[in-house]
Amino acid sequence: MNPDFTEITVIGDDDTGLIARVTSLLFERDANIEDLDQAVREGLFRMTMRVDTTEMTCTEDDLREALEALCDDLGMDVQVRFPADREAKRIAVLATKESHCLAAMLEAFVDDDPEAEVVVVVANHDDLAPLAAAHDIPFYDIGDAGGVPDEEWLLDILAEYEVDLVALARYMRILSPNVVFRYESRIINVHPSLLPSFAGAEAYRQAIEKGVRIAGVTAHYVTTDLDQGPIIAQRAFDVPDDATPEELEERGQPLEAEALVEAVRLHLAGDLVVGRGRTHLREDSDAELGLPEEIAELNPDAPVDNASVTGGRTEE
């Protein structure tokens, strides 16, 4: 994602001619489309564009009003985010009952970071309301008695707080396309496995059952395909031979929090580019992805191809 581009997202019922109507409006105002991605899920159409508006022949307000008028006519919703709109870096955290990731996000982006802040916590149970209150952050329980969330209410909250990024802090519900499409590449989840292995529920138990010796956690962008979004950050740890799922969870939880915070920082700093299903660092970024240097140094750094191994020694 280039932070200098205007982001335009159009969402609504699928129909013919939608892309042409919107792109023609932009062309007529000399706004140059740098990237366009569209998808349809469950009859819901989504188009996301990155647009260079630096030389357009109208004001930002005029473009926003024209797009809103067109989309009203088409029965669609539109979101327009100019580069200046994204300076606030306002974060919404979604959670369920586990507190470790929410606590890490509140510590990182309420108390210490002057350029980004958690502005609202939304959950499908009320267990974590005291934690949000301790940081003086608004808290909403959008779940019914069984924890089923009201996603229309969620969307209203995200719009009210003008959220730039949504962080899923062990939010134990699958977001529908109606939410994911509206915040394309702006929702980050943390999953308790080294994706793509062990997607879905009870990942630590899956790791035990498969007998893996190294398990881990993954922070990734959310897409409409469960746990298949572009990977941002990962952490790994050893699995003892007699470990239980509960013991793996104890080992993994601190790393879940660490990976989520790292991924959010990388996103907010504009260090990430998403393309062809994976993330890359921007060319001018000083950030690093993968193993920390002190761990990477423990791995072999030269191939042993064409070498013979004799008596525990490698001979050329």
Side-chain angles (χ1 to χ4, degrees):
M1 178 188 309
N2 188 328
D4 298 326
F5 290 156
T6 296
E7 300 171 18
I8 301 173
T9 302
V10 177
I11 296 175
D13 293 337
D14 190 25
D15 200 356
T16 58
L18 297 174
I19 296 176
R21 294 284 298 275
V22 176
T23 56
S24 294
L25 184 152
L26 296 173
F27 174 77
E28 292 166 359
R29 289 158 177 78
D30 292 327
N32 187 41
I33 299 172
E34 299 287 345
D35 181 73
L36 186 154
D37 181 65
Q38 63 88 25
V40 177
R41 292 288 188 279
E42 302 173 12
L44 187 68
F45 169 86
R46 185 271 303 163
M47 175 171 62
T48 302
M49 292 172 287
R50 318 288 186 217
V51 181
D52 184 352
T53 54
T54 56
E55 297 184 6
M56 67 180 180
T57 55
C58 67
T59 67
E60 292 182 356
D61 287 342
D62 288 341
L63 180 62
R64 193 189 303 272
E65 290 174 3
L67 285 167
E68 289 175 350
L70 173 61
C71 288
D72 282 343
D73 183 54
L74 296 172
M76 310 290 285
D77 292 337
V78 63
Q79 296 177 349
V80 184
R81 302 174 71 242
F82 293 99
D85 297 337
R86 300 196 291 274
E87 293 179 355
K89 298 182 180 179
R90 299 166 64 85
I91 307 168
V93 180
L94 273 57
T96 294
K97 294 184 177 182
E98 297 182 30
S99 64
H100 56 290
C101 286
L102 173 59
M105 286 292 298
L106 292 176
E107 181 179 354
F109 297 106
V110 173
D111 299 331
D112 297 331
D113 195 325
E115 297 182 355
E117 63 174 333
V118 175
V119 296
V120 64
V121 176
V122 184
N124 61 319
H125 291 280
D126 63 2
D127 299 58
L128 300 178
L131 180 55
H135 289 267
D136 199 25
I137 303 297
F139 178 91
Y140 294 84
D141 174 10
I142 63 169
D144 65 12
V148 178
D150 182 339
E151 285 200 340
E152 291 300 325
W153 189 8
L154 170 61
L155 288 173
D156 289 343
I157 294 168
L158 298 181
E160 176 184 351
Y161 285 89
E162 299 179 346
V163 167
D164 295 292
L165 179 69
V166 179
L168 307 188
R170 302 299 287 132
Y171 180 66
M172 306 303 288
R173 289 285 176 171
I174 298 173
L175 295 173
S176 74
N178 194 34
V179 176
V180 175
F181 279 173
R182 295 170 190 274
Y183 291 88
E184 188 81 10
S185 296
R186 289 192 285 145
I187 305 176
I188 295 176
N189 183 41
V190 63
H191 182 74
S193 79
L194 291 173
L195 292 174
S197 296
F198 313 133
E202 299 193 30
Y204 289 130
R205 182 175 299 279
Q206 292 184 61
I208 292 290
E209 292 174 349
K210 292 295 184 181
V212 301
R213 296 305 180 190
I214 297 177
V217 304
T218 302
H220 64 96
Y221 284 113
V222 172
T223 65
T224 53
D225 297 315
L226 179 63
D227 295 331
Q228 299 298 311
I231 291 170
I232 305 172
Q234 293 184 300
R235 296 289 187 275
F237 58 90
D238 287 334
V239 179
D241 185 57
D242 57 351
T244 66
E246 292 74 23
E247 289 169 339
L248 286 199
E249 185 175 4
E250 290 181 3
R251 288 180 173 228
Q253 281 186 343
L255 299 180
E256 293 170 16
E258 183 179 309
L260 179 62
V261 169
E262 178 188 357
V264 169
R265 289 195 187 281
L266 287 168
H267 174 93
L268 293 176
D271 286 318
L272 300 173
V273 177
V274 180
R276 297 185 178 181
R278 61 171 297 176
T279 57
H280 305 268
L281 289 175
R282 295 185 65 187
E283 292 183 358
D284 57 350
S285 173
D286 294 327
E288 294 183 1
L289 297 178
L291 291 173
E293 183 176 347
E294 60 271 21
I295 297 178
E297 289 177 352
L298 299 177
N299 291 329
D301 60 0
V304 293
D305 293 352
N306 301 320
S308 61
V309 180
T310 305
R313 295 185 299 112
T314 300
E315 298 180 351
E316 299 294 339

